[in-house]
Amino acid sequence: MSASTSPSPRNRRHRLGRMGSLGARIAVAIFGGYALGALASVAVLALPLPPSQAVIAGMLASFLVHAGAVLWAFLAWRGKRGVRQSMSGLHTWAGLLAGWLLYAMFLTGTVSYFRNEISQWMRPEIAHRQTPAGAAAAGAAAVAQRIVDRLQIEAAGSPQWSLQLPTARSGVARAFWRLPDAAPGKQAYETAILDPDTGLKLAARDTLGGDFFYLFHFQFYFLPILWGRWLAGLCAMFMLTAIFSGVIIHRKIFADFFTFRRAKGQRSWLDAHNALAVFGLPFHLMITYSGLAILMTLYMPWGAMQAMKTPAQQQALNAQLDEFIRPGAPAHVRAPLARVDAMVRQAQARWGTHQVLRVTIVNPGDAGARVAVSRADSARVSMSPQYLLFDGATGALLEAQDRVGAAAETRGVLYALHMGRFALASLRWIYFIVSLAGTAMVGTGLVMWTVKRRQKLAEPQRPPLGFRLVERLNIAAIAGLSIAMTAYLWANRLLPLPIPHRAAAEVDVFFAAWCAALLYAVLRPARRAWIELLWLAAASMALLPVLNALTTRRPFWHSVATHDWVYAGFDLAMWAFAALHAMFAIYAARCRPRPQALRVPRVLARDERA
C-alpha cells in the first residue's frame, strides 16, 4: 500500500474511536432498552385492570418501549449529525448484525406457511389421504374416540395425551403423548401419525417434514430451545428497530416504491431494497411485532413474576394465553375414561360442526382425569384459547372458556396474523409472496452493505478482513441457505427408508450442505462463488421434481391428471425458484466490478447523507 493511500495513525485512532462509540451505543441500546421495557411491563400493573390483563398489556407494550429506547440511544449520541444520519447508522448496523439470522428466519418462516403441504410431499406414502372438510368435521367425534381407544393401548401409563383431528389440509390424525419415565436428557414424548379410519399408526418414512423449517424459524433447531428462542427474539428486536429507523430515514418512502434505476450499482441495490421494504411495510411490521408477542412470556416475564405469585394466579394467566392443560396430581384411584366422542359432540353443538381441532387428556384412567376439547383457529382471526374442560371420569362439563380479556384477545389476534392458519389458499399465497419480499429485502440490505463499502476501499482487490468476512457470510446466508433447504428435500428422497434416526439424518444433511456452502464461499473468489452457488441452487431445485418422479413414480403430468395439487404445486414452485436463482446467477455474471476511484463520488456521498 502506498503512502498516499495508507491510513495515518490519526485516522486509525479516529476510526477506532468511532467504533468504540458505536459499540457503546449498541450496548446501551440492547441492555438499556431491555431494562426500560421490563420496567414498563411492571409499571402497567398500576393501571385499573384485572391482574392478568395488566400483565399481558405490559408485555405487549414493553417491546414498543424497548424499540423507542433503542432509537433514543442513537439520537442522544448523534453529536453534530442530523436525525436521519443517526438513524441511518442504526438502520445499517441493526440490519447487518442480525441480517444473516433474519434472512434465515424470514425464508424458513415463509415456506412454513405451506408446512402441511411440504410434510405431505415428504411423506409420499400418505400424501393422497385427503379428507373433504365436511366429512372430516362430521366424523370428528368418532375419529377422536377411535384415536383415544388406540392411545389406551399405545400410550398406557402416560400422564398426558393430545390428539389433533383431521382437517381439510391434512387428512390424517396426529397424536402426542408424554413418556412416564423418560431418562434425563432423553426425549420425553412420542408422536405418531394415525389413520382416522382405524386409529392405527400409518406406515410412513421418518421425517420432520415441513415442521423442521417451522422449528428452525424461531429456535434454530440445534441450539437449546431457550437459547434459540432468545436469539430469535433478539433478532426480532433488531428487525423492529430497523423498520422504525428505515421509515425515519426515507422522507419519500412511497415515492421510493416506484423508483428503480437499473444497472446503477449501489443505486440499483438501494432502489430494490427500498421498493421491497415499502411493498410489504405493514406486513413486515406486523410479522415482527407479532413474533415477539407470541413468546412474550419468555422475553418479558417480569410483570407476571411481580403480579402472579400464587399457583391460582398463574393458572388464571395461563388460561388467557393458551389451552394447554397442565397435568395435575393424579388421584391414584383407577377410573375408566368417559366417552370422548360425547364431549366432542357437545363442543360441536356449541361452536359449530367444523370448529373442533384438538383434544387433550391429562391423567387418563385416573379419577382425577381432565379432558380439554379445543376450538379450531382456522375460521377465526384469533388464536386466543377457547375450550371446554370436562371431568375425564364422569364426562361432566367443568368449565367453558369462550372468550378472554381484551389484552389477551389482542395478543391472540397478533398470534393468528403471524401464523396465518385462518387463511384460505389464496390468502396464504399472498402471505407467502409478501413474506418472500421481506426475505429479499433483508438479502438486498446485506448485499448493499458490501456494494456500498467496496466503493470506498483504497484497494478493492485486497479488501480488509472484516469486509471479506461479511461478503462470504452473505454468500453462505443467501445462496447457501437455498442449497441447504433443497438438500434437505433431496435427502428425503435419497436416504434409505430403514436407517435409524432417519429424520435426524435429513436435518444433518441440511446443516452439512450449509457448512459446505460456507466453506466454498471462503475458498473461492467472491464473485465466482456467487455465480457458482446460485447455479448449483438453481440446478438442484430444477432437478428435484425429476428425482421425485423417479423415486415415487409420480411425474408432474400424472399429478395434474389426478388433481394431486400438493405434488403438482410443489413441482411448479421448485421450477419457479430454480428460474429465480438462475436469473440471479446470470445477473451476478454480468455485473463485473468497475475500477474504483480513491474518493467516493460526490453524488454517492450526497445519497449516503440522505
Side-chain angles (χ1 to χ4, degrees):
M1 183 180 293
S2 63
S4 60
T5 60
S6 59
S8 65
R10 181 178 179 181
N11 288 338
R12 290 196 191 98
R13 288 195 298 270
H14 178 66
R15 186 177 300 174
L16 290 174
R18 288 181 58 188
M19 293 301 295
S21 176
L22 176 64
R25 278 180 282 176
I26 292 174
V28 170
I30 293 175
F31 299 107
Y34 183 82
L36 287 176
L39 288 174
S41 69
V42 175
V44 174
L45 300 178
L47 296 177
L49 295 172
S52 61
Q53 298 306 299
V55 168
I56 297 171
M59 293 178 184
L60 293 174
S62 64
F63 302 115
L64 298 177
V65 173
H66 190 178
V70 172
L71 296 176
W72 173 85
F74 273 72
L75 288 174
W77 265 303
R78 70 179 185 271
K80 296 181 180 179
R81 304 174 71 196
V83 171
R84 294 174 63 224
Q85 285 181 296
S86 180
M87 289 296 97
S88 178
L90 171 60
H91 186 79
T92 298
W93 288 103
L96 180 65
L97 294 176
W100 301 293
L101 292 178
L102 280 172
Y103 183 87
M105 291 171 66
F106 256 95
L107 185 55
T108 53
T110 297
V111 301
S112 294
Y113 287 121
F114 290 98
R115 66 171 171 148
N116 285 351
E117 288 74 17
I118 294 173
S119 295
Q120 290 182 43
W121 186 90
M122 296 183 72
R123 297 186 181 98
E125 299 83 3
I126 59 176
H128 287 287
R129 298 187 60 87
Q130 294 295 316
T131 303
V143 171
Q145 185 61 55
R146 197 174 295 127
I147 301 301
V148 167
D149 292 341
R150 189 64 193 174
L151 288 176
Q152 290 180 344
I153 301 172
E154 293 280 349
S158 171
Q160 181 183 16
W161 304 339
S162 181
L163 61 100
Q164 181 175 310
L165 299 173
T167 66
R169 292 179 64 189
S170 176
V172 296
R174 301 175 186 274
F176 156 97
W177 62 92
R178 294 191 180 277
L179 301 178
D181 300 311
K186 299 294 183 180
Q187 182 170 288
Y189 61 89
E190 190 169 341
T191 61
I193 301 173
L194 306 175
D195 187 338
D197 297 328
T198 64
L200 299 176
K201 287 184 179 180
L202 287 169
R205 63 190 63 195
D206 182 21
T207 178
L208 289 176
D211 291 341
F212 167 69
F213 297 129
Y214 171 69
L215 294 172
F216 183 90
H217 162 65
F218 68 98
Q219 61 191 38
F220 302 110
Y221 198 75
F222 267 146
L223 291 179
I225 291 177
L226 289 181
W227 286 39
R229 294 185 178 185
W230 267 104
L231 182 58
L234 180 63
C235 292
M237 280 307 308
F238 273 92
M239 182 67 184
L240 192 63
T241 54
I243 291 173
F244 289 146
S245 58
V247 171
I248 295 172
I249 292 169
H250 298 290
R251 291 178 297 183
K252 301 177 180 179
I253 187 168
F254 293 105
D256 290 340
F257 178 68
F258 299 98
T259 302
F260 182 74
R261 289 159 287 193
R262 186 173 175 271
K264 296 294 184 180
Q266 177 186 332
R267 286 182 173 183
S268 297
W269 285 108
L270 180 61
D271 290 343
H273 181 73
N274 292 341
L276 290 166
V278 177
F279 172 69
L281 180 59
F283 178 86
H284 302 151
L285 183 59
M286 177 276 292
I287 213 72
T288 304
Y289 180 67
S290 59
L292 291 165
I294 291 172
L295 295 176
M296 63 184 188
T297 55
L298 172 65
Y299 301 143
M300 287 291 178
W302 315 111
M305 293 172 62
Q306 181 68 25
M308 304 292 162
K309 296 182 178 179
T310 67
Q313 291 173 327
Q314 186 63 49
Q315 184 176 356
L317 177 63
N318 292 336
Q320 294 287 305
L321 297 175
D322 61 62
E323 75 274 10
F324 180 70
I325 308 301
R326 275 74 178 172
H332 298 294
V333 177
R334 298 290 300 170
L337 189 65
R339 298 286 300 183
V340 173
D341 53 356
M343 305 178 197
V344 172
R345 291 191 185 95
Q346 190 171 340
Q348 288 178 317
R350 189 182 192 94
W351 298 322
T353 306
H354 302 268
Q355 295 301 306
V356 176
L357 177 64
R358 187 176 293 104
V359 177
T360 304
I361 305 170
V362 297
N363 298 321
D366 188 87
R370 295 290 183 268
V371 180
V373 181
S374 302
R375 186 175 181 179
D377 46 42
S378 58
R380 57 193 181 103
V381 190
S382 176
M383 290 185 67
S384 58
Q386 296 189 20
Y387 59 87
L388 301 182
L389 183 64
F390 297 88
D391 186 306
T394 66
L397 180 63
L398 301 177
E399 180 186 349
Q401 177 162 297
D402 293 322
R403 61 178 58 88
V404 294
E409 188 64 27
T410 300
R411 187 254 188 183
V413 170
L414 290 171
Y415 198 162
L417 289 173
H418 188 94
M419 302 297 291
R421 293 178 184 170
F422 63 90
L424 299 176
S426 57
L427 185 54
R428 279 201 309 277
W429 275 109
I430 294 175
Y431 259 76
F432 180 86
I433 292 169
V434 180
S435 185
L436 192 62
T439 308
M441 174 192 68
V442 177
T444 54
L446 290 170
V447 173
M448 189 170 62
W449 191 95
T450 58
V451 171
K452 183 177 179 180
R453 277 151 185 79
R454 183 179 291 278
Q455 302 201 20
K456 300 179 181 180
L457 296 177
E459 291 185 293
Q461 302 305 319
R462 297 178 58 187
L465 176 61
F467 181 91
R468 295 201 305 272
L469 177 63
V470 172
E471 193 171 44
R472 266 49 180 192
L473 287 175
N474 283 352
I475 299 170
I478 298 173
L481 182 57
S482 296
I483 292 171
M485 294 174 69
T486 312
Y488 173 71
L489 300 174
W490 275 71
N492 177 261
R493 291 296 190 258
L494 293 179
L495 289 176
L497 297 181
I499 64 171
H501 309 295
R502 189 178 185 280
E506 290 180 358
V507 175
D508 291 340
V509 170
F510 170 89
F511 284 103
W514 205 359
C515 290
L518 174 60
L519 181 62
Y520 192 88
V522 170
L523 296 178
R524 293 286 287 162
R527 181 169 171 271
R528 297 306 309 169
W530 271 117
I531 297 170
E532 291 158 2
L533 288 179
L534 285 171
W535 274 120
L536 177 60
S540 59
M541 291 176 184
L543 292 174
L544 185 60
V546 179
L547 174 67
N548 172 65
L550 294 174
T551 55
T552 65
R553 300 177 184 271
R554 199 173 297 164
F556 173 73
W557 54 87
H558 179 269
S559 301
V560 174
T562 57
H563 303 288
D564 188 351
W565 301 119
V566 168
Y567 270 74
F570 197 94
D571 289 349
L572 288 173
M574 286 296 103
W575 285 327
F577 276 114
L580 187 64
H581 282 75
M583 183 183 70
F584 290 153
I586 293 171
Y587 179 79
R590 290 178 176 175
C591 289
R592 296 184 179 277
R594 300 175 181 177
Q596 304 295 325
L598 293 179
R599 297 182 60 186
V600 180
R602 184 178 302 174
V603 64
L604 294 182
R606 184 170 63 249
D607 285 350
E608 183 182 358
R609 289 196 301 271

